[in-house]
């Protein structure tokens, strides 16, 4: 029987323009990111990287929570403190990714279903005991000719709802992430149509499985043209389409919507979030961020796996966190970018 104040935690995660650092790449994914900038990937270098981010001074002004991965939540810092404790000591809420990844969907070509429900209740208990207060599960929906199929959307929504119900039972705030990928040549209109359908089916599954909407967060993609589409939308078009889609399909009782960056670069992810928040319309939910690449890429490129670059990497991360925090309040301006050195 759940007893914790999950609504309070959900609200705290999106208070005052704050948002979440998604630092939950699996060792395989982080190795790919390291490879791209020629950093050797092993448990120690991954630990050092996370430690750099998690100990960035004063970043709790902009970052409310950090999503960790199973390897990280069990690791100790270079000085012997659990990484989770370093996060909590900063006043940042620790979270944990609990799905085990998107796997090929039987009977379909090119579609996936996210796995990880077996034994989930026990794993959630363990993570909560370690100190996690929220969790994340990512469903992946790809757009192409004839896909997504309705069964792909349905099975992913069903799994998201099963995960979310278990989280609330175990006193963890579920972040429900149905990601419609930016990969492909589809138009922004097609992205809006698919995202709307995915949200509709997902909230229906959440309702059927008695998930309390006040005690969860939604982590969607922005509505955006595919990366290979010849017609790229403007910032204003992305903001309007994203907001319209959410207003149609995300119930007002959800306290916060935290976007993923999904392959947008750090500037696009910052400007689009800002434009959404600047729209002159009533917004029932807080509109904030749970960015992975958009918050980390600049820091990773400065750090390069070298101890002497830790401070410079932290500076880059803190700068981006400050900019996206301003964007979540609709107060970002390009002029902020020049102030990094200060
Ligand atoms: P990106 O912001 O890099 O898309 O990562 C967010 C995330 O958590 C994806 O699951």
């Amino acid at each position: 029987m759940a007893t914790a104040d999950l609504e309070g935690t959900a609200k705290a995660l999106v208070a005052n323009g704050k948002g979440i650092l998604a630092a939950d790449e699996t060792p395989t994914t982080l190795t790919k990111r390291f490879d791209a900038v020629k950093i050797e990937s092993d448990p120690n270098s991954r630990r050092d990287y996370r430690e750099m981010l998690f100990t960035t001074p004063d970043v709790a002004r902009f970052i409310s929570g950090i999503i960790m991965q199973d390897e990280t939540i069990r690791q100790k810092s270079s000085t012997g403190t659990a990484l989770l404790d370093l996060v909590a000591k900063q006043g940042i809420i620790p979270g944990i990714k609990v799905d085990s990844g998107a796997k090929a969907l039987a009977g379909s070509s090119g579609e996936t279903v996210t796995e990880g429900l077996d034994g989930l209740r026990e794993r959630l208990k363990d993570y909560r005991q370690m100190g996690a207060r929220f969790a994340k599960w990512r469903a992946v929906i790809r757009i192409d000719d004839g896909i997504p199929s309705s069964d792909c959307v349905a099975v992913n929504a069903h799994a998201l709802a099963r995960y979310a119900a278990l989280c609330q039972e175990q006193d963890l705030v579920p972040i429900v992430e149905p990601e419609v990928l930016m990969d492909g040549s589809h138009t922004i209109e097609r992205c809006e149509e698919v995202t709307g359908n995915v949200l509709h089916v997902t909230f229906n599954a959440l309702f059927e499985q008695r998930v309390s909407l006040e005690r969860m967060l939604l982590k969607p993609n922005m509505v955006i043209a595919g990366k290979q589409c010849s017609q790229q939308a403007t910032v204003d078009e992305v903001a309007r389409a994203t907001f319209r889609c959410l207003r149609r399909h995300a119930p007002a009782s959800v306290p916060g919507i935290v976007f993923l960056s999904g392959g947008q670069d750090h500037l696009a992810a910052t400007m689009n979030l800002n434009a959404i928040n600047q729209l002159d319309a009533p917004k029932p939910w807080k509109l904030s961020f749970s960015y992975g690449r958009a918050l980390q890429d600049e820091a990773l490129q400065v750090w390069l796996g070298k101890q002497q670059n830790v401070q410079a990497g932290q500076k880059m991360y803190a700068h981006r966190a400050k900019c996206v925090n301003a964007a979540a309040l609709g107060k970002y301006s390009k002029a902020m970018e020049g102030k990094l050195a200060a």
Side-chain angles (χ1 to χ4, degrees), residues 39-298:
I39 299 169
E40 184 148 351
S41 179
D42 59 37
N44 282 340
S45 64
R46 293 193 290 272
R47 190 272 318 273
D48 290 346
Y49 177 58
R50 262 69 189 248
E51 186 173 342
M52 170 180 78
L53 296 173
F54 297 178
T55 58
T56 297
D58 287 338
V59 84
R61 288 185 292 157
F62 317 121
I63 299 289
S64 56
I66 295 180
I67 316 175
M68 287 182 260
Q69 201 269 335
D70 185 71
E71 178 184 69
T72 319
I73 203 168
R74 299 172 191 282
Q75 279 179 323
K76 290 201 161 83
S77 73
S78 50
T79 53
T81 311
L83 289 183
L84 182 143
D85 292 338
L86 287 181
V87 168
K89 219 170 84 194
Q90 289 240 50
I92 293 177
I93 304 171
I96 181 75
K97 166 201 181 78
V98 299
D99 67 69
S100 50
K103 307 287 160 60
L105 176 64
S108 165
S109 81
E111 294 185 293
T112 58
V113 58
T114 298
E115 296 188 349
L117 289 169
D118 285 357
L120 181 58
R121 176 179 276 127
E122 301 311 316
R123 287 194 291 124
L124 294 177
K125 271 189 191 143
D126 287 347
Y127 288 137
R128 178 128 207 329
Q129 210 157 26
M130 285 181 210
R133 291 294 175 262
F134 69 100
K136 166 190 134 168
W137 178 289
R138 172 176 177 252
V140 182
I141 307 290
R142 200 162 71 81
I143 299 180
D144 205 342
D145 288 344
I147 62 170
S149 62
S150 57
D151 53 306
C152 171
V153 174
V155 292
N156 276 293
H158 188 262
L160 274 168
R162 282 193 61 195
Y163 138 83
L166 280 167
C167 282
Q168 292 185 341
E169 179 196 88
Q170 295 303 323
D171 279 340
L172 291 158
V173 171
I175 295 190
V176 172
E177 179 179 5
E179 175 174 4
V180 177
L181 294 176
M182 276 173 73
D183 303 332
S185 55
H186 53 272
T187 60
I188 186 171
E189 289 81 11
R190 176 90 174 115
C191 180
E192 183 172 353
E193 176 192 18
V194 171
T195 303
N197 178 255
V198 166
L199 292 177
H200 176 82
V201 175
T202 299
F203 277 105
N204 193 47
L206 292 168
F207 173 76
E208 284 181 343
Q209 297 188 45
R210 295 177 287 275
V211 173
S212 156
L213 302 187
E214 288 80 2
R215 301 189 301 150
M216 61 162 271
L217 295 175
L218 176 69
K219 176 164 174 170
N221 50 285
M222 292 181 190
V223 172
I224 218 161
K227 261 189 248 168
Q228 287 82 37
C229 180
S230 54
Q231 183 91 36
Q232 288 297 315
T234 63
V235 171
D236 186 57
E237 285 164 347
V238 170
R240 286 178 194 284
T242 302
F243 186 69
R244 182 168 56 229
C245 189
L246 290 169
R247 198 164 49 182
R248 286 178 179 159
H249 299 289
S253 51
V254 175
I257 294 178
V258 289
F259 294 102
L260 55 94
S261 58
Q264 303 179 62
D265 70 28
H266 54 272
L267 280 180
T270 309
M271 290 192 302
N272 287 336
L273 179 63
N274 189 55
I276 294 167
N277 276 296
Q278 281 189 340
L279 288 173
D280 184 18
K283 303 178 186 81
W285 354 253
K286 298 272 193 250
L287 292 160
S288 187
F289 58 90
S290 173
Y291 290 164
R293 284 161 286 180
L295 271 170
Q296 294 182 44
D297 281 354
E298 296 159 285

